[in-house]
Amino acid sequence: MLKPIRPANFFYWCSRKFLKEAAGYVAQLKGAPIELLGGDIVDMHLGLSGDEYRRLCESVTDIFHLAAISYLGMPREIARRVNVNGTQNVLELARDARGLKRFNHFSTTYVSAIASE
């Protein structure tokens, strides 16, 4: 016997400054409803309220992490905060998500370091 399929819940988290633009894109999609959440990847709990973060931790099964700064002219400290500390914050959500099945991380195509002699 097949198990009934639960309705999907989709959360789309993005930077607060892109929330209005994201709402326009989401409004054009058909299918399961998408709940938009705005925050800041460099903030604790991704800048979400305590209730929003707890709700994600209780219901998220898959995470797609795409946030990054790939512009090479960006000051190093800003790129580090977003790319390293921000990824750490997303990994903390993954750790806290009780039902997580899959974590998908899309990275940049570049790696830079100071070459040792």
Side-chain angles (χ1 to χ4, degrees):
M1 177 185 257
L2 296 174
K3 290 182 182 179
I5 298 174
R6 287 185 346 180
N9 295 317
F10 292 93
F11 298 94
Y12 180 84
W13 175 94
C14 68
S15 173
R16 281 185 199 93
K17 68 181 179 180
F18 299 120
L19 207 50
K20 186 175 180 180
E21 183 179 358
Y25 289 122
V26 166
Q28 297 175 37
L29 299 174
K30 296 181 193 281
I34 299 172
E35 181 177 344
L36 289 172
L37 300 170
D40 193 325
I41 196 162
V42 299
D43 291 342
M44 183 177 83
H45 294 164
L46 305 171
L48 299 170
S49 71
D51 287 337
E52 289 171 327
Y53 189 81
R54 275 189 294 281
R55 203 158 34 91
L56 283 180
C57 291
E58 292 169 359
S59 60
V60 164
T61 59
D62 298 78
I63 293 174
F64 290 82
H65 172 38
L66 289 83
I69 291 179
S70 58
Y71 172 60
L72 297 177
M74 183 64 61
R76 185 177 186 166
E77 182 51 35
I78 293 172
R80 180 172 182 76
R81 284 185 67 219
V82 171
N83 295 345
V84 177
N85 300 71
T87 298
Q88 181 178 356
N89 289 337
V90 177
L91 287 169
E92 288 173 4
L93 170 65
R95 177 200 63 207
D96 296 341
R98 297 180 185 128
L100 186 69
K101 295 178 183 174
R102 182 173 297 159
F103 182 88
N104 304 276
H105 180 233
F106 294 79
S107 186
T108 60
T109 59
Y110 307 103
V111 174
S112 65
I114 299 172
S116 60
E117 295 179 18

